[in-house]
Amino acid sequence: MIRKGGYIITKYRPNSLQLLFTVSRNMSQSIQPTVERQEELSQNYQSVLQHVNSLTQEYNVKTPVTLVAVSKLKPSSDIQALYNAGVRHFGENYVQELISKSKELPQDIKWHFIGGLQSGKAKDLAKGVKSLYAVETIDALKKVKQLDRVRGEINGLPINVYLQINTSEEDQKSGFSISDLNELYETLEFIISDECKNVNLIGLMTIGSFAQSTAEGEDNQDFKKLVELKQNLDKKYAINLGLSMGMSSDYAQAIKQGSTNVRVGTSIFGARPPRNTT
């Protein structure tokens, strides 16, 4: 292998008269955004961030609110554009997409996994994303134990987690049941025990129902349930949990009701292409 400038040149079959060369460009150059896209995304992000900050002032919010830029199905160049503008918190929904992006983008990005996490993928996620900051969709004790074990095996940084609660009690939604909290208690108690060394509990997460998220002029009842659960758990276990609730359509209401982490994609990146499932 010959390293020359921004290229890596690999020679195969050194004893053959025919030499086959493969050339790999420096990846940091290939993912740089255009100037126009850089400006567009920076302006979009700043607009949302200013709105978030104005809401915290309007509602006298004392705890800082983290704005997570949801970059699923968007190219790495879009993420690089916001990274260039100082953004570090990004959210992804698919394990393999996140693993791939994490390997080609700067290592100080704080990745949030916000998609449904299958038990079989928890190992891949913990092992494949060194800069994994948080998993926001924990809905089973088994998944916590997998993250904890694998992260320990690779001596990785601890992973922050939110416990997802199905506050709307919709069948299609993932999350711990809001009406039967036994498994939630068991999971929480494991994370805060000495047995769990590589996972930190930082909060609760929910996705409000469409009806509640689009209602105007009143509190979101799904968010209200999560706030009440937080208060009960804080008191029961002497902790102080954050709240991840609110997306592009309802983050303003979520901040009003106490969210400390909002996930915004479309308002920053624009409409997403359909996912290629082939």
Side-chain angles (χ1 to χ4, degrees):
M1 182 176 71
I2 306 169
R3 187 179 299 273
K4 187 175 182 181
Y7 298 84
I8 297 174
I9 303 176
T10 306
K11 182 190 297 183
Y12 297 92
R13 298 180 182 176
N15 297 323
S16 173
L17 293 177
Q18 281 190 316
L19 300 178
L20 175 64
F21 294 90
T22 60
V23 180
S24 300
R25 287 190 177 276
N26 185 305
M27 192 167 294
S28 64
Q29 294 177 345
S30 66
I31 61 173
Q32 288 297 331
T34 64
V35 173
E36 294 78 12
R37 186 61 171 164
Q38 173 83 52
E39 293 178 352
E40 177 188 7
L41 291 175
S42 297
Q43 290 174 2
N44 290 350
Y45 181 86
Q46 285 302 318
S47 177
V48 175
L49 181 61
Q50 289 172 9
H51 189 211
V52 167
N53 291 337
S54 68
L55 290 167
T56 62
Q57 294 179 359
E58 179 182 351
Y59 300 126
N60 196 28
V61 176
K62 301 300 183 184
T63 304
V65 176
T66 299
L67 171 58
V68 179
V70 179
S71 49
K72 68 176 182 180
L73 301 180
K74 290 297 182 178
S76 293
S77 58
D78 277 3
I79 300 171
Q80 185 68 48
L82 289 183
Y83 179 90
N84 294 343
V87 181
R88 293 296 180 268
H89 289 271
F90 293 91
E92 290 285 337
N93 286 59
Y94 307 111
V95 172
Q96 290 308 127
E97 182 180 358
L98 174 51
I99 291 174
S100 177
K101 287 178 175 177
S102 71
K103 290 179 178 178
E104 63 181 10
L105 286 158
Q107 292 302 299
D108 60 334
I109 285 178
K110 296 182 177 181
W111 294 106
H112 294 237
F113 183 76
I114 61 174
L117 180 61
Q118 300 174 355
S119 296
K121 291 290 187 179
K123 177 180 178 180
D124 296 337
L125 188 62
K127 188 176 182 179
V129 186
K130 293 181 180 179
S131 54
L132 182 61
Y133 174 78
V135 177
E136 299 200 19
T137 50
I138 292 296
D139 59 2
L141 175 58
K142 176 171 64 174
K143 297 174 185 179
V144 174
K145 289 185 174 180
Q146 288 174 326
L147 292 174
D148 181 58
R149 175 180 59 80
V150 175
R151 204 64 169 182
E153 290 174 353
I154 66 170
N155 294 317
L157 294 173
I159 301 170
N160 299 313
V161 298
Y162 290 84
L163 301 180
Q164 182 175 358
I165 312 299
N166 186 359
T167 53
S168 62
E169 301 186 82
E170 296 172 282
D171 292 339
Q172 71 272 25
K173 292 274 182 68
S174 299
F176 292 100
S177 170
I178 191 69
S179 57
D180 183 359
L181 299 175
N182 289 330
E183 186 179 2
L184 173 66
Y185 292 151
E186 185 181 5
T187 304
L188 189 155
E189 288 165 6
F190 171 76
I191 298 174
I192 65 176
S193 72
D194 293 337
E195 183 180 355
C196 183
K197 301 182 184 302
N198 303 290
V199 171
N200 297 324
L201 177 63
I202 61 172
L204 306 175
M205 186 275 268
T206 197
I207 300 173
S209 67
F210 179 79
Q212 287 294 321
S213 296
T214 55
E216 297 182 0
E218 57 186 30
D219 282 351
N220 183 311
Q221 295 303 304
D222 296 328
F223 294 166
K224 182 179 180 181
K225 291 176 185 177
L226 197 71
V227 171
E228 292 173 348
L229 178 60
K230 164 196 156 52
Q231 293 170 344
N232 292 335
L233 294 176
D234 283 354
K235 182 177 180 180
K236 179 179 177 67
Y237 294 102
I239 54 182
N240 183 22
L241 296 171
L243 294 174
S244 179
M245 53 189 195
M247 298 183 288
S248 287
S249 62
D250 57 6
Y251 72 81
Q253 183 63 39
I255 291 173
K256 179 182 180 180
Q257 292 185 234
S259 183
T260 56
N261 187 84
V262 294
R263 312 173 300 273
V264 179
T266 304
S267 297
I268 296 173
F269 293 98
R272 297 185 185 89
R275 186 187 182 198
N276 185 359
T277 57
T278 58

